[in-house]
Amino acid sequence: MVEPTSRPAARLEIFALPDFPLVEAGDDLAGPILDGVARLGLVLAPQDVVVLAQKVVSKAEGRLVRLADVVPSARATALAQEVRKDARLVELILAESVRVVRTRPDVLIVEHRLGLVMANAGIDQSNIRHDGGEAALLLPLDPDASAGRLRADIGRRAGVAPAVVINDSFGRPWRRGTTGIAIGAAGLPSMIDRRGETDLFGRTLRATMIAHADEIAASASLVMGQSTEATPVVLVRGLQWTAPDNPAATLIRTPEEDLFR
Amino acid sequence: MVEPTSRPAARLEIFALPDFPLVEAGDDLAGPILDGVARLGLVLAPQDVVVLAQKVVSKAEGRLVRLADVVPSARATALAQEVRKDARLVELILAESVRVVRTRPDVLIVEHRLGLVMANAGIDQSNIRHDGGEAALLLPLDPDASAGRLRADIGRRAGVAPAVVINDSFGRPWRRGTTGIAIGAAGLPSMIDRRGETDLFGRTLRATMIAHADEIAASASLVMGQSTEATPVVLVRGLQWTAPDNPAATLIRTPEEDLFR
């Protein structure tokens, strides 16, 4: 029997970082994370995972766009009518996307330039400061790189670099409701490939590609709740992996292997 | 601001139940679960969630089928050739399904009679005892009912009825790798509907339907690992919800609202 690449953890703990401040463009995230960990009375350890809501990363990176500054194209205006959304928002969605995947009144599913198939290109209008007008928050430019930078920042200051996951709430084609998934990750295997390993009875495993970072993202979502900015960052402790690191982009199916795009 | 229906949990703990026995048809599950909780030194509390891998529930319910007993139809034989699978297995998959959704060499995605869109009708051949021949394990007949019975069983014996979730590993159309999702649930809201609630700034929430049981199932999968039967049951502690209970079937999109079936 081949040694599993990820030992089952005996116990997982997921801590909300208390009193995380509201984040604005240019804000440092590593500092408040380390403050939050300290307030919990914890010290970062290897294979700890810091999970951040996409929203705080996007805000820190200045991805907020005032709708008043957006001039919708004719295409956006027509599509906005079809999907019953603000034409300026649709303009932003199209600008962030490479393809429209499905439309229906109140539904606009696109392929984001990052390859993510998602509603509204992940553009969020909740929990956004308005500053005298409506605003929309775009995804980080490169969430895997954002996770890597933050991991390095924390590592420099704390002496230990935790893994970092950036999560977001996604709908699913066949299932109702949203779950947290990983749009960015660094310092851990986003996918664990167990092809070739065998089960208790020596059979080759069937579910052999595990979306490890998505499961971490979902577990973090449970703790973040989804109504307030009070807990946009959580610490996941107790995972043990030996598989090599790979970024969250690994979890995106290419169009060629996608039967449903 | 409307009071959230699910308060963010400050801390979530997920415990693997140690030394869970191998399960055979007819076995009681409540007893080993209570033994496992006791071995952890814990006492069940309201809003604890017991998550079981589908496999152990199916085995206890006698859903193991010997392939030697299966006679494939002409349709199964033809389809088996197309998808490069054992014709007897394909016969079982078709018998468990209402519709074939997608096929490709090595891929057979169906709509299970429960409404779940999934590969191979959820039929598993790993970690299955062979008893002198190959076998396949079908999903429980009614996983929500299975969860409800187990919840009642545990409640009778322990005086406290935890919520129960039955999870399974599912692939996703647009993303690689599998994550745990809930195929059965009792005693908790599988979906939390937050429509009408507002965010920190008074805007109506956008991601307003949360697949709560799927996020719990994914977090449990992290702890279960997926290579052995050593940890098919975990205890999730620290969730707090006030939304009404609904079964895992609530999470299945109806064909009418499904843009991708």
Side-chain angles (χ1 to χ4, degrees):
Chain A
M1 190 169 161
V2 177
E3 187 65 13
T5 52
S6 171
R7 307 284 312 167
R11 179 180 175 184
L12 199 66
E13 292 174 292
I14 310 179
F15 302 91
L17 296 200
D19 304 322
F20 203 83
L22 286 178
V23 169
E24 313 238 351
D27 283 359
D28 163 55
L29 293 174
I33 290 169
L34 290 173
D35 290 348
V37 171
R39 269 196 296 275
L40 288 169
L42 300 176
V43 175
L44 285 177
Q47 303 207 332
D48 278 351
V49 184
V50 172
V51 186
L52 298 96
Q54 163 266 323
K55 203 171 289 190
V56 291
V57 178
S58 288
K59 283 182 184 172
E61 295 184 359
R63 301 284 289 155
L64 194 66
V65 178
R66 289 168 48 107
L67 287 190
D69 297 338
V70 177
V71 181
S73 64
R75 183 185 173 213
T77 303
L79 184 56
Q81 202 152 28
E82 186 186 336
V83 299
R84 303 197 297 213
K85 293 179 187 287
D86 187 312
R88 299 166 303 172
L89 182 64
V90 172
E91 175 65 31
L92 291 174
I93 293 168
L94 291 176
E96 282 282 280
S97 305
V98 296
R99 202 163 60 80
V100 173
V101 175
R102 290 285 192 286
T103 61
R104 179 181 280 195
D106 306 318
V107 175
L108 176 51
I109 299 172
V110 298
E111 181 178 332
H112 189 277
R113 61 181 166 72
L114 293 167
L116 299 160
V117 178
M118 63 195 313
N120 306 321
I123 296 175
D124 199 331
Q125 285 196 282
S126 64
N127 283 338
I128 307 299
R129 274 176 199 278
H130 304 151
D131 288 337
E134 289 187 288
L137 190 63
L138 313 185
L139 295 194
L141 276 178
D142 181 347
D144 280 323
S146 304
R149 279 193 302 270
L150 187 54
R151 168 172 154 80
D153 272 3
I154 297 173
R156 243 187 322 271
R157 298 198 211 175
V160 174
V164 172
V165 169
I166 300 169
N167 78 351
D168 199 1
S169 295
F170 269 55
R172 293 89 46 89
W174 304 318
R175 296 181 68 72
R176 289 189 184 137
T178 62
T179 62
I181 71 142
I183 64 165
L188 86 178
S190 293
M191 176 139 74
I192 295 179
D193 182 351
R194 309 175 79 177
R195 284 175 295 192
E197 293 178 31
T198 53
D199 68 14
L200 285 179
F201 304 100
R203 281 191 76 102
T204 301
L205 288 175
R206 293 174 67 85
T208 49
M209 309 277 272
I210 297 159
H212 189 233
D214 281 344
E215 293 191 329
I216 294 169
S219 68
S221 283
L222 277 176
V223 174
M224 288 178 182
Q226 293 180 42
S227 75
T228 73
E229 263 187 319
T231 54
V233 185
V234 307
L235 178 68
V236 179
R237 171 163 287 180
L239 292 170
Q240 298 167 52
W241 63 83
T242 57
D245 295 358
N246 50 50
T250 312
L251 291 168
I252 298 173
R253 278 196 203 277
T254 59
E256 301 74 52
E257 61 177 303
D258 189 339
L259 298 173
F260 296 92
R261 196 170 297 201
Chain B
M1 189 169 158
V2 177
E3 186 65 14
T5 53
S6 170
R7 307 283 312 167
R11 180 180 175 184
L12 198 66
E13 292 174 291
I14 310 179
F15 301 91
L17 296 200
D19 304 322
F20 204 83
L22 286 178
V23 168
E24 313 238 351
D27 283 359
D28 163 55
L29 293 174
I33 289 170
L34 290 172
D35 291 348
V37 171
R39 268 196 296 274
L40 287 169
L42 300 177
V43 175
L44 285 176
Q47 302 205 333
D48 278 351
V49 185
V50 172
V51 186
L52 297 95
Q54 163 266 324
K55 203 171 289 188
V56 292
V57 177
S58 289
K59 282 182 184 171
E61 295 183 359
R63 299 284 288 155
L64 194 65
V65 179
R66 289 168 48 107
L67 289 189
D69 298 338
V70 177
V71 180
S73 65
R75 181 183 175 217
T77 303
L79 184 55
Q81 202 153 28
E82 187 186 336
V83 299
R84 303 197 297 213
K85 293 180 188 286
D86 187 312
R88 299 165 303 171
L89 182 63
V90 172
E91 175 64 32
L92 290 174
I93 293 168
L94 291 175
E96 283 282 280
S97 306
V98 297
R99 202 163 59 80
V100 173
V101 175
R102 290 284 192 286
T103 61
R104 178 181 280 195
D106 306 318
V107 176
L108 176 50
I109 299 171
V110 298
E111 181 178 333
H112 189 277
R113 59 179 168 72
L114 293 167
L116 299 160
V117 177
M118 64 194 312
N120 307 321
I123 296 175
D124 199 331
Q125 286 196 281
S126 65
N127 283 337
I128 307 300
R129 274 177 199 279
H130 303 153
D131 288 339
E134 290 188 287
L137 190 63
L138 313 185
L139 295 194
L141 277 178
D142 181 346
D144 279 323
S146 303
R149 281 193 300 272
L150 187 55
R151 168 171 153 81
D153 272 3
I154 297 172
R156 245 187 321 271
R157 299 198 209 174
V160 174
V164 172
V165 169
I166 300 169
N167 78 351
D168 199 0
S169 295
F170 269 54
R172 294 90 45 90
W174 303 319
R175 293 181 69 72
R176 289 190 184 135
T178 62
T179 62
I181 70 142
I183 65 165
L188 86 179
S190 293
M191 177 139 73
I192 295 178
D193 183 350
R194 311 176 76 176
R195 282 175 296 192
E197 294 178 29
T198 53
D199 69 14
L200 286 178
F201 303 100
R203 281 191 76 102
T204 302
L205 287 176
R206 294 174 67 84
T208 49
M209 309 276 271
I210 297 160
H212 189 233
D214 281 343
E215 293 192 328
I216 294 169
S219 69
S221 282
L222 276 176
V223 175
M224 288 178 181
Q226 292 178 44
S227 75
T228 74
E229 262 186 323
T231 54
V233 186
V234 306
L235 178 68
V236 179
R237 171 164 286 179
L239 292 170
Q240 298 169 51
W241 63 82
T242 57
D245 295 357
N246 50 50
T250 312
L251 292 167
I252 299 172
R253 279 195 201 278
T254 59
E256 300 75 51
E257 61 178 301
D258 189 340
L259 299 173
F260 295 92
R261 197 172 299 201

